[in-house]
Amino acid sequence: MVRNPSVRHVISPIVHVVSSLETGGMERVVLRLASAQQDAGHEVHILALRPGVLEQEARQRGLSTHVLSGGRLQRTLSTLAWFFRTKPAIVHVHNATSLHYGVLSRFVSRAPIVVTLHGDLHSRLGSNWEWSRVSAAITVSQAAAHVLTLPASAPQMMVIRNGISMPVHAAGARDRTRAALGLDGKVVGIEVARVDGKKGHKTLMHAVAALAEPVRAGVHILVAGDGRDLADVEALARTLGVTHAVTFLGARTDIDDLLHASDFFLLPSDTEGVPLSILEAMSHGLPIVASRVGGIPEIVEHEREGLLVPPGDPQALAAAITRVVSDPDTRASLGTAARLRAATELSLDQTVRHYEEAYRKALSKAGPSDPPYVPPRSDPPYVRSS
């Protein structure tokens, strides 16, 4: 484990509570945040309500991981016992679907509870009583902060955007991946997202069908991700006659390699928070073609890092794809700007610092019977919603 000697105050332990360890964007955000916090010197644990394929990655990162099992009573008792043994300093709940289990920590510890809402704005937000136990409420975009209405007992909303680390690739990795997928000579677009009806996959298929034949002949679209609607989207591609221009990859563990092999990134979602997939693509220097929804315009400026289109509009999406495929100079300038913004304004280090600030503020408000805490002399700023 890498330890950062410059860390000013170790918060130990931090417990991240997540609904599952499936391959969703929120789950991957949590793993990267937890791993970065551990590298910064904090003791970090993950408590997951359901298992998933990311459990193995969490353990490979050296993260202590506990997955609940059994019925509701057994899960409740197991959670209480686990919190009693772990003795958290901070309980960080991700999305309100996990808030009930995070609040259980209050029965066995006085650790402040911090909640991050990652963009699923239509799920259960939790009860007024549960939010009365929360010390800090955070969302990942100003757009979400403006539309979310929390129970009256919830603390004032703050905004901390997701961040990303810059990738490093071995020489020749791009060519090897493109050759393995038969992509030589093509301009390659990629969408990385769960195929669940919310990420615009059907809009993308209609957009590919709407491309002029010379453009369609020179482009290939990769679709990486699994989900309940995958078979329907594949069937639509066959019906529209675009299977020669689209490859469905299913769930993949080599997303960095796939992004490195691609030339632009697609995310025509109907709704979003601040997608990790876009941050990953920007870190690879890919121009972004995405819907103008949620927090996307906060990280991608139209005509600067990418092209933003209305959701559910295949013609507008096809026009944007045509532009990035047909104009190499535009593709290069958008990609360069995207990488620069990812490396500066959207870095994972900055996100970690902002969460440390939120944790310290929560700890500094601890009551007299809480564990003692001495705040540092100065803290980095964080973003607060207006």
Side-chain angles (χ1 to χ4, degrees), residues 245-263:
V246 180
T247 297
F248 293 93
L249 300 173
R252 299 286 292 233
T253 59
D254 58 343
I255 298 301
D256 272 346
D257 290 339
L258 294 172
L259 291 171
H260 189 49
S262 300
D263 299 297

Side-chain angles (χ1 to χ4, degrees), residues 282 285-286 299 303-306 331-345:
M282 292 173 71
L286 298 186
I299 59 172
E303 299 283 357
R304 181 183 173 186
E305 293 91 17
R331 196 164 65 238
S333 64
L334 294 175
T336 298
R339 182 176 175 83
L340 177 62
R341 191 167 189 183
T344 54
E345 300 175 39

Side-chain angles (χ1 to χ4, degrees), residues 16-35:
H16 291 278
V17 184
V18 295
S19 56
S20 80
L21 287 171
E22 295 295 344
T23 54
M26 179 273 287
E27 292 85 354
R28 290 188 294 132
V29 165
V30 173
L31 254 61
R32 294 185 182 199
L33 173 62
S35 183

Side-chain angles (χ1 to χ4, degrees), residues 1-14 33-45 61-64 349 352 356:
M1 180 187 305
V2 178
R3 294 293 186 186
N4 184 351
S6 66
V7 67
R8 293 168 301 169
H9 178 83
V10 174
I11 302 171
S12 177
I14 300 166
L33 173 62
S35 183
Q37 288 172 334
Q38 183 169 262
D39 289 346
H42 307 293
E43 179 186 341
V44 184
H45 301 263
R61 289 173 178 264
L63 295 167
S64 170
D349 286 345
V352 170
E356 286 179 357

Side-chain angles (χ1 to χ4, degrees), residues 51-198:
V53 297
L54 291 179
E55 182 178 352
Q56 180 179 358
E57 180 181 339
R59 299 188 191 282
Q60 287 173 344
R61 289 173 178 264
L63 295 167
S64 170
T65 305
H66 180 72
V67 180
L68 299 179
S69 61
R72 186 176 179 85
L73 177 60
Q74 182 180 346
R75 290 155 68 90
T76 297
L77 294 175
S78 174
T79 301
L80 287 168
W82 187 83
F83 275 127
F84 182 78
R85 293 193 304 270
T86 307
K87 296 178 174 57
I90 286 286
V91 175
H92 190 162
V93 174
H94 296 272
N95 284 339
T97 49
S98 305
L99 180 55
H100 170 75
Y101 286 88
V103 168
L104 289 176
S105 66
R106 298 294 287 172
F107 290 97
V108 294
S109 83
R110 292 185 175 273
I113 298 170
V114 174
V115 178
T116 297
L117 301 172
H118 288 266
D120 187 359
L121 309 183
H122 306 291
S123 65
R124 172 185 176 271
L125 284 178
S127 70
N128 198 59
W129 182 87
E130 288 170 335
W131 279 99
S132 71
R133 270 61 186 169
V134 173
S135 298
I138 296 164
T139 190
V140 295
S141 71
Q142 292 286 351
H146 290 155
V147 301
L148 275 169
T149 302
L150 298 181
S153 62
Q156 183 181 358
M157 184 80 70
M158 297 183 291
V159 176
I160 299 178
R161 294 191 178 95
N162 296 333
I164 193 69
S165 298
M166 303 305 290
V168 178
H169 290 283
R174 174 180 165 89
D175 291 340
R176 286 193 295 272
T177 302
R178 289 175 67 92
L181 293 172
L183 301 173
D184 295 339
K186 299 284 187 177
V187 178
V188 178
I190 184 170
E191 177 170 7
V192 180
R194 187 176 291 164
V195 191
D196 60 2
K198 301 177 182 178

